[in-house]
Amino acid sequence: MPSSPSYHQPNAPDSPEDSDSESDLEIELQELGPATTPSPQRPRRSREGQRTERERRGQIPLRNLRMGGLRGLGGRRKGYGELGPAHGGEGEDLHELLYDAEDPGASTRDSGASLGNFEDDAPLLHPLTTGRHRGQESVISRLGSKMRLPSFLSTASRPATPTEGPELEQEQDDPTATRTVLVGQVQALRFPANAVSNAKYTPWSFLPITLYTEFSFFFNLYYLMVALSQIIPALRVGYLSTYIAPLAFVVSVVLGKEALDDIARRRRDAEANSEGYAVLRFKSAPEHGVRTGRSGSQSMHAPRGMRRGWDRRSEERLSEIPEEDETVDSGIAGRPTASYFETITKSRDIKVGDILKLGKDQRVPADVIILKSYTNDSAVLNPYQEGDDLSAQEPEGVSDDPTNPASGPPAKMSTATEVEGSGNVTPTENMLSADGGGIGESFIRTDQLDGETDWKLRLASPLTQSLETSEFTRLRIVAGKPDKKVNEFIGTIELLSKPLHSHGPRAGRGEGRPSRNGGSLVPRDEGEMVTLKSTPLTVDNTAWANTVIASNCTTLAVVVYTGSQTRQALSTSPSRSKVGLLEYEINSLTKILFILTLAISVTLVALKGIESTSSRKWYVSIMRFLVLFSTIIPISLRVNLDMGKTVYAWFIERDDGIKGTVVRTSTIPEELGRVEYLLSDKTGTLTQNEMDLRKIHVGTVSYANEAMDEVSSYVRQGFSIPSSGANQPSASTPSASAYSALTAANNPSAHVRTRREIGSRVRDVVLALALCHNVTPTLEDDNGNSVITYQASSPDEIAIVKWTESVGLRLVHRDRKGMTLQSVSTGLVVARVRILDVFPFTSEGKRMGVIIQFVESSESSATPIEEAGEIWFYQKGADTVMASIVAANDWLDEETANMAREGLRTLVVGRKKLSLQRYREFASNYKQASLSLVGREAGMAKAVGQYLECDLELLGVTGVEDKLQKDVKPSLELLRNAGIKIWMLTGDKVETARCVAVSAKLVARGQYVHTIAKLKRKDLAEDSLNFLRSKTDACLLIDGESLSLFLTHYRDSFISLAVLLPAVIACRCSPNQKAEIAKLIRAYTKKRICCIGDGGNDVSMIQAADVGVGIVGKEGRQASLAADFSIDQFCHLTKLLVWHGRNSYKRSAKLAQFVIHRGLIISVCQTMFSIASSFEPIALYKNWLLVGYATVYTMFPVFSLVLDKDVDEGLANLYPELYKELTEGRSLSYRTFFVWVFISIYQGGMIQGLSQILVDVQGPKMVSVSFTVLVINELIMVALEITTWHPVMIFTLIGTALLYLGTIPFLGEYFDLAFIISVGFWWRVLAILAISLVPPYAVKLIRRTLKPPSYRKVRGI
C-alpha cells in the first residue's frame, strides 16, 4: 500500500531537531492511535531510527483531528448528513493516517483513557506514549503489576476482561476515573443499577428519618417528654395510657401516611423501571470454533473432539491469519465472532455494555453511545415514481469539490429481513440512514433533558456503522468519568482483532502475523486481542438518558453510564422531605403555649410557697402542673391537621375540573395557598412544542389565516408549467420569465406591481422556503397508509416545510446530494436541485444557508457542474443578523417588529444568484480558509461574507408561532392578578423565549424587555444592575452564561433586584441553574416558591421548590413522578392554587386555632380549680373525661371545619386578588392566635369560676356542670365560626350533642347523676353558657360591621 503523503502545518520546521519539539498544534503519527508496548523479544529501534521515521511520516494538525471522526477538511460545506467520511484526495489520505498502524507493535494502546480532561491545546495522548520517555517504562510496568492501569500505560496487551460464570466477582467502579466498556460483554467492574428512584426513604432509613422529622417539631417533642414523665410514679396524674396512647396514635398516623406516600412513589418508579427494551445478546459461534470478543476463559468451549481438531490445526493457522484490518472495511472479517439474538429486558436490568435496539419515539433509558443506525424501510419517497418525468435514474453523485461533481454512485439500501445475526446479511448490516449516506444518523429530542426544542443530530462512528453487528463484541470503549455536562463528552472506541485459539505447544511463543506494512511480526498469544483501529468519540455520538429517538430509524447503541451516573441523574437534586409553612408557624405558636404553661405552673407553686411539704418537693409540683396543663399544647393538633390534609388531597384528585391531577405529597396542600413566586419551564409547560407558520410578508402584501388560499393559488399558477424536456428550462427555475418581471418591478422607476408580479414574488418565497432547510422526508405507516413525515433538527423548519406542502409545493426527496420538489396539485416533479454547500444554523450565526444548482431535467441530473443549471444561494435567519445582509429596503424592520409584537418567531428569507466563476472563486477561498491552522473560523466567515452574504435579494418574512398550551394566556393573567410573580426558566434560545413570553402575555404589551446575553465582564454586569435599579417595571431577559456571572460575583445584589421585577425570563439554563435560582429566591425572600415543569430537566427545580408541580409530558413522566402535585395541563394550575390552595390553607388555619382553643380552655379550667384547691396539682377531669373531651365529644364537629369555605369557586376566580391576603398569612398569625388565647382564657375562667361559685368548689356536682358547659360551649363555638354550612357539619354537631347526652348515664363515676336530672343543673348550665358565649360573639359582630373581611365584601354579606 503506498504510503500516505505527509501533512505539514504552514512554516513547519524542516530540521529533525525542530520536528522533535512537543508542539501543542501538531502530533506525531506514533501518538495518534493505539500502540502496544514493544515485546521483550522484539529489539528496540534506535532513537535515530525513530526520528527518521517520524520525519518520514509527517505530522497532523491536532485541530483537524478534533473535528470528530472522519470529518473531512471540506466538511463545513457539507450538509448535516455528511459529517463523517472525507471524499477524494486529501480526505482519503487523512483517513489512512487516522487508521493505519504504522508501527507493527502499535496495537493495544488505549488512546482514549487519558482523554478525560483535555484542554484545547493539550496533546492528544499522554507523553508517556512517545518513544522519548522510555526511561519511565519500568516504573509503569511495576505499577501495572500491582494495579489496573489503562492499556496504554500497561505493558500487557490483553484487555482486562472478567471471567464468565456465576462465580465472577466484580469490583465496584471508581466514579472519579475513566472507564473501559467491553461492548456486548460482562464488565470487569460493577456499575450502579439502571433504576429510577424518586423515593425519599429506604427500608433502613425510614424510621430514623421520619422519627427525627416528627420530633424535631416542638409540640411532638414536648408531648413525648410528658408521656415519658408518667413512668415516674411521683409525676403520674392519671392512667399511663392517657398520655402514651395519643402520642403513639399520632406518630403512627404520620408514619403510616409517609409510608403510603413513599410506597406509591416506589410503585410509580417500578412502573417506569419495568419498561421493556430490546437488548442484543451475544453468544460465540462454536460450530466455527470462534469465541466472542472476550479474552481468557470467557470463551464458550466446543466439544472435546472439535477442540482436538482445532488443536491440530492451530500451528498451521498461526501462519495463515488474514489481514483483518483490510477486510473489516467491507464489514466481514472472516467468520463471525459471535451470533446474537434479541431479548426484551426491563429498564432496571439494563447494564453497562448492553447493546440496545431503539426505535422511533422510544425513550433512551441510559446514557449510550450510538453504534449503528439504519432505516426501517426505504424511508424516503422515491422521487421517480409519479408522472412522466419520474422515470429517470438518480444522479450518480455530487462531489464535495465543485469541479468534480460525480464522485461515485449513491449508497444503496437493502431490504433484507433476516433477524438472526451469525454472519448473515441483516438489516442491521445493510440498511443505512434516511439520507442514503454511509454514516448512520439519528435525530433525538432533548427537551426532557435540557429544555431545548431543536432536535439534535447524532451520528454513529464510521468504524461501527460499517461493522457487522455480529462483530460488536470486538469493540472496546474508553469513556470519561461520569459528568453532569450534557454538551460535552470525550471518549474513544477501539476495534480489537479476533483472538487466536491455539491450544498447541507453539501457542504464545513469538509467532504472529506480519504487519500490513511489512517488517517484524506482532507477537500474539492464545486469546490475545490487539487493537486494529481506534476512533474518537464526541457528544455527537451519544444519546443521554431521557432523550427520545425522533428519527424513523432503528438505532443500535451501547450503554456506558447507568442509574445514578447518567447525565440526567447527576443533574437532578436528591429528593427531600418538605414541610409546609403552616407547620412552622404552628410550631412557633406551641413554643409560646409552652412558655404560658410553664409560667402558670411556676406561678401556682410560687403562690403556695416553695417550702417542701411532706408529700412532694416544689419542683415535683411544677412538673405535675406541667403535666396537668399539657392539654394547652394539644397532641391531637397534629392528628387533626394530617387528617385534614388527607381530605384536601381527596378533594383535589376528585375535582372534575382538573381531571388527572395526582397528589403525590399529601403533607403540603396548604402551601398551594401561600405561593408568591411561580417558576415555570417553557417547552411542554407553556408551549406544546408544535410550530405553525401563521404569517408571511412579501414586501407590500401580508398573508395570514384565510389569505393563505391566495398563496396556494399563486403557487398553483407558478408551478403549473410542465417541464418540456432537457433542452428547455423548467418552470421552477427562478430565472423564468416571471422572475424577469419581478426584477423589473424591483426597479425604483417601475410601475406599481401587478398581480402577476406579486404572484411571482410569492412563488419565489415559497420556492426559497421549500429549498433552504435541513429537512428530510420519510415514509411512515399510518393505519396501512404510507404518509410522508419530516425530520429536522428544528421544529421551525418542519413547520415551514409543512406549510409549503399545504400551499402546493411538497418536498418528496432529500439526501446529501440533492432535493426534489413535487407539485401537490399535479403530482409532477417541478424542481430538482443539486446541493453544493450547506451552512447549518448556529446559535451564534442565527442563520442558515444553502447553495444549490437547479437541474433542469431528469436526464441532465448527472451532468458536470459546468453544464447544469443556475446556481443560487438561499439564506434565512433572524432579522437582527439578516438586516445587514439583505439589500436596502424600507419595510423589513417595521414588519418584523409587528410580528414580534404578536409573539411570532420571525425569519427573513433572501437569495442571491451566483455565476459559475464566482462560485468557483468562493469554493476555492472557502476551502483554503478551512485548511488554515490559524484564524480558520474567521477566514471561513470572511469568505462567506465576501462572496455570499452581501446584497441578498430580500424575498419575504415568515412568522412562526410556537403553539401555547390550552388557556395559558388567561391562566398567567389570573396568576399575575393574584399577586404571583412569574419567572420563566428554559434551556431554549433567547429569541425563542422572548417570542413565547410575548405570545403568552408574560410580557405586557409595550413593556420594556431588558436583555442581558453573553455577559463575561464584571463591569458590564454592574452596569446592567444599575440600569435595572432605575427601571424596576422592566422585564428581565437573561441567558445562562450571564446568570452564572451574576450569581458568582453579584449574587445578593442580583437576587434582591430580580425579585422586585414583574417578570424574569432566564434562557439557556441548565437543570442545576434552575434549582439554584429556586433555592436562592426561597432563601432570600423567605416566601413560598412553586416550580412547574414537564421534563426530566425540571426535576431538580421541582424538588428544590416549596411546591413542585409536574405536568405529564408527551415523552416522559419524570417531572410528574418527582413532583408533589401532578397535573395534565398548565391551566389546571390556576384552580390548584386559587381554589384548592385557598381552601386548604383557610381550613387548616381555622382547624388549628380551634384545636388550640379546645386545649387551652380546659387548661384554664384546670388552673381555676387548682387555685381553688389551695394550689395543689390535683386533676379536675380525670381519665375518660380528659380523653373523651378531646376525642368523641368535640373531635368530629371541630374536624368538620375542613368542609368550610368562605367563597365559592366562581368568586375565587373572578376576584384573584383575594389570593393576595393568603400570602400575607393573616388567617393564622400572632394576632389571631392571641385573640383566640384571650377568648379561651375568658371562656375557661367564666365556665370554671361560675361553676365553682354556683355549685361548689369540689365534688361531682361541680364537675358535671363544668364539663357539660365545656362540651356544649365548644359545639356552639364551632357553629358560630362556620361560614358555609355543609350537611356533614349539621350531622356532626347534632350527632355529637346527642352522643354526649346519651353517655351521661354511664359517667356516674365522675358525675352526680341525680343532680343532672334536676332543674337546678340545667339553669346553671344555661346561665354559664350565656355569659361565656354572648360577649365574644357580640365583639365579633361589631368588628364585622365596622371592618368586614374581603370575602364578605365580594359575597355582598
Side-chain angles (χ1 to χ4, degrees), residues 443-464:
F443 281 108
I444 62 172
R445 291 194 296 268
T446 63
D447 52 319
Q448 297 288 308
L449 179 67
D450 56 17
E452 295 190 22
T453 56
D454 291 355
W455 292 4
K456 306 295 190 305
L457 177 65
R458 291 295 184 257
L459 305 172
S461 172
L463 177 63
T464 58

Side-chain angles (χ1 to χ4, degrees), residues 1168-1235:
M1168 297 294 294
F1169 178 73
S1170 297
I1171 293 174
S1173 302
S1174 302
F1175 306 102
E1176 286 291 332
I1178 302 174
L1180 171 62
Y1181 308 122
K1182 299 179 181 179
N1183 303 332
W1184 168 249
L1185 293 183
L1186 191 62
V1187 175
Y1189 172 76
T1191 54
V1192 295
Y1193 296 148
T1194 60
M1195 184 181 71
F1196 295 109
V1198 171
F1199 187 72
S1200 69
L1201 291 173
V1202 299
L1203 303 174
D1204 193 19
K1205 57 183 179 182
D1206 54 355
V1207 296
D1208 57 28
E1209 184 179 348
L1211 288 176
N1213 292 327
L1214 185 61
Y1215 299 99
E1217 293 79 8
L1218 293 173
Y1219 189 86
K1220 290 182 181 179
E1221 298 180 356
L1222 305 181
T1223 60
E1224 297 172 2
R1226 294 180 182 178
S1227 297
L1228 183 62
S1229 61
Y1230 287 115
R1231 187 186 67 82
T1232 59
F1233 169 72
F1234 283 112
V1235 168

Side-chain angles (χ1 to χ4, degrees), residues 1267-1280:
F1267 191 79
T1268 302
V1269 173
L1270 190 66
V1271 171
I1272 298 176
N1273 178 84
E1274 194 66 21
L1275 298 181
I1276 296 176
M1277 285 294 293
V1278 171
L1280 294 177

Side-chain angles (χ1 to χ4, degrees), residues 650-675:
W650 189 88
F651 284 146
I652 292 173
E653 292 184 342
R654 282 156 183 80
D655 190 336
D656 292 336
I658 50 175
K659 286 186 176 180
T661 300
V662 179
V663 179
R664 305 201 188 281
T665 305
S666 58
T667 57
I668 57 170
E670 303 93 349
E671 297 297 277
L672 294 170
R674 311 289 296 275
V675 172

Side-chain angles (χ1 to χ4, degrees), residues 97 163 221 268 330 375 447 571 596 687 704 773 1012 1028 1105:
L97 286 173
T163 304
L221 182 61
R268 293 189 295 268
S330 64
T375 55
D447 52 319
S571 300
L596 178 62
T687 69
H773 54 73
I1012 302 177
L1028 286 174

Side-chain angles (χ1 to χ4, degrees), residues 725-796:
N727 298 326
Q728 297 182 10
S730 170
S732 62
T733 306
S735 293
S737 58
Y739 177 69
S740 300
L742 179 60
T743 305
N746 284 333
N747 193 312
S749 62
H751 297 289
V752 179
R753 290 175 178 166
T754 64
R755 179 177 176 83
R756 180 179 178 184
E757 292 167 351
I758 295 176
S760 180
R761 168 72 72 167
V762 171
R763 164 189 173 278
D764 288 335
V765 172
V766 174
L767 180 63
L769 293 174
L771 294 174
C772 186
H773 54 73
N774 269 329
V775 179
T776 301
T778 61
L779 277 181
E780 290 189 3
D781 184 68
D782 185 11
N783 296 327
N785 300 322
S786 295
V787 180
I788 292 182
T789 59
Y790 299 107
Q791 297 178 2
S793 62
S794 171
D796 294 55

Side-chain angles (χ1 to χ4, degrees), residues 84-113:
H87 299 284
E90 297 167 341
E92 293 181 357
D93 294 337
L94 180 58
H95 178 93
E96 296 301 328
L97 286 173
L98 280 169
Y99 296 129
D100 288 355
E102 297 284 353
D103 187 347
S107 37
T108 60
R109 186 167 295 153
D110 193 342
S111 63

Side-chain angles (χ1 to χ4, degrees), residues 99-160:
Y99 296 129
D100 288 355
E102 297 284 353
D103 187 347
S107 37
T108 60
R109 186 167 295 153
D110 193 342
S111 63
S114 63
L115 298 177
N117 297 303
F118 261 173
E119 301 297 335
D120 187 43
D121 293 327
L124 189 62
L125 294 182
H126 196 281
L128 287 173
T129 61
T130 63
R132 64 178 68 95
H133 295 285
R134 279 200 189 90
Q136 302 180 23
E137 287 182 1
S138 59
V139 178
I140 298 300
S141 302
R142 289 195 299 272
L143 287 175
S145 63
K146 294 183 170 24
M147 65 177 68
R148 186 174 182 272
L149 296 175
S151 59
F152 72 92
L153 291 178
S154 174
T155 58
S157 59
R158 299 170 185 249

